Amino acid sequence: MGGGLVGRPRLVLAVDGGNSKTDVAVISEHGEVLATGRSGPFAPQRDGVAAAVGVVRRALDALEPEAVPEGGFDHVSACLAGADLPVEEEALAREFAARGFGRDVVVRNDTFALLRAGASAAWGVAVVCGAGINAVGVSPTGAVARFPALGRISGDWGGGQGLAEEALWHAVRAEDGRGLPTALTGLITSHFGTATVEELVLEVHFGRVSEELLHELSPGVLAAAGDGDAVARSLVERQAEEVTAMAEVCLRRLGLLETPTEVVLGGGMLTARDPLLTSLLDSSFAVRTPRAKPVLADLPPIVGAGLLGLEHLGAAEGARARLRARYEPPGRG
């Protein structure tokens, strides 16, 4: 790694490793963002731990050499997709340390970054609904509630990929007569340019269309629901219930159901502010968790990773405020 300066302030490497891209930020202990970079998807469960950490290294290699201290960073705060279990967090932390990023490494699931970026304090609940869905809760005492988040096998439902797969299931059945008619059939054939839904199913089956591309259907599913399609609406209603259920369970596990608590909502499906989904969420939270305060994330998760890193170093409140200010959207404050 590159050179550093004698007597320099301590440096944090903040990492937000997501399903679609990986962001890095070099942050001084005073909260100054000295360099930022971006590289490809962080996917340790698909590509392996070494390859995933290599994505972070490529982001750093693209920075100016002086931004990367010789001997590694004083602290690495990495919030990562695919770090769903403690054993996975530990394996990733070992890889970061072994490759010279720094000896002081903390790896967390990426939901922790969302929570810290969106909440006004260091505790609360966060639900991310992007390609997939996950949630985490942290109590004022530091207790944690979380889920394995391994997909349907661990009880998860929804996110862009899950919603689209369910839409495809309904569209197939509508087309062949086993299910109710739905506008989702036309959405799917139009989007993928096939004559029938069955044709798309076969394209996916034979590997000519990647199953991962199905998530592109999720905006259309939301639009169809908003236009009154009953099948699409049922899927969006279920998505709202799943988001609320994950938040409710975290609050219950932490004994916070009767405590006013921020619930940070993030991920592409929620930050898109779809009118129907937003309305359903408001209604569901009001009924199931009336003391909760839903907060839509407006700072990127890399801020959360950075704040966790600064807090690990014991940085002053002014440093944390400076970091937040660097990323605040125009007109806020």
Side-chain angles (χ1 to χ4, degrees), residues 37-234:
R38 175 170 289 184
S39 55
F42 191 92
Q45 294 165 342
R46 182 190 68 195
D47 302 333
V49 167
V53 175
V55 170
V56 181
R57 179 57 190 266
R58 286 196 293 277
L60 287 182
D61 287 344
L63 302 181
E64 294 296 328
E66 58 268 22
V68 183
E70 186 174 351
F73 292 89
D74 298 285
H75 177 60
V76 178
S77 174
C79 297
L80 309 170
D84 297 313
L85 303 169
V87 65
E88 293 171 329
E89 293 172 336
E90 293 164 6
L92 286 161
R94 287 194 298 271
E95 183 69 17
F96 273 98
R99 295 180 65 157
F101 286 86
R103 289 191 297 271
D104 185 19
V105 181
V106 175
V107 170
R108 302 174 177 87
N109 183 263
D110 55 348
T111 50
F112 286 90
L114 171 64
L115 173 59
R116 193 64 194 91
S120 60
W123 62 278
V125 170
V127 183
V128 60
C129 188
I133 187 168
N134 197 5
V136 68
V138 178
S139 78
T141 64
V144 173
R146 61 191 297 187
F147 299 90
L150 302 176
R152 290 185 69 89
I153 62 172
S154 61
D156 310 322
W157 188 91
Q161 188 73 19
L163 190 73
E165 290 173 357
E166 201 75 9
L168 179 60
W169 186 88
H170 281 282
V172 169
R173 294 171 65 87
E175 184 176 82
D176 67 20
R178 287 177 291 173
L180 296 173
T182 171
L184 296 175
T185 55
L187 164 69
I188 289 169
T189 56
S190 174
H191 183 84
F192 286 100
T194 57
T196 64
V197 179
E198 181 179 314
E199 181 183 338
L200 173 65
V201 170
L202 295 178
E203 291 292 293
V204 172
H205 175 71
F206 288 113
R208 293 189 288 264
V209 172
S210 171
E211 193 169 350
E212 294 180 357
L213 294 178
L214 294 178
H215 76 87
E216 297 174 356
L217 296 169
S218 58
V221 176
L222 291 169
D227 289 339
D229 183 80
V231 173
R233 184 182 175 97
S234 72

Side-chain angles (χ1 to χ4, degrees), residues 193-275:
T194 57
T196 64
V197 179
E198 181 179 314
E199 181 183 338
L200 173 65
V201 170
L202 295 178
E203 291 292 293
V204 172
H205 175 71
F206 288 113
R208 293 189 288 264
V209 172
S210 171
E211 193 169 350
E212 294 180 357
L213 294 178
L214 294 178
H215 76 87
E216 297 174 356
L217 296 169
S218 58
V221 176
L222 291 169
D227 289 339
D229 183 80
V231 173
R233 184 182 175 97
S234 72
L235 298 182
V236 178
E237 288 174 344
R238 183 177 178 186
Q239 184 66 88
E241 286 298 311
E242 289 292 321
V243 169
T244 313
M246 296 190 93
E248 181 183 11
V249 169
C250 286
L251 291 166
R252 183 185 304 115
R253 287 180 181 175
L254 297 173
L256 295 175
L257 276 174
E258 301 304 320
T259 302
T261 303
E262 291 173 319
V263 176
V264 182
L265 304 177
M269 285 198 66
L270 301 184
T271 57
R273 302 174 187 261
D274 175 75

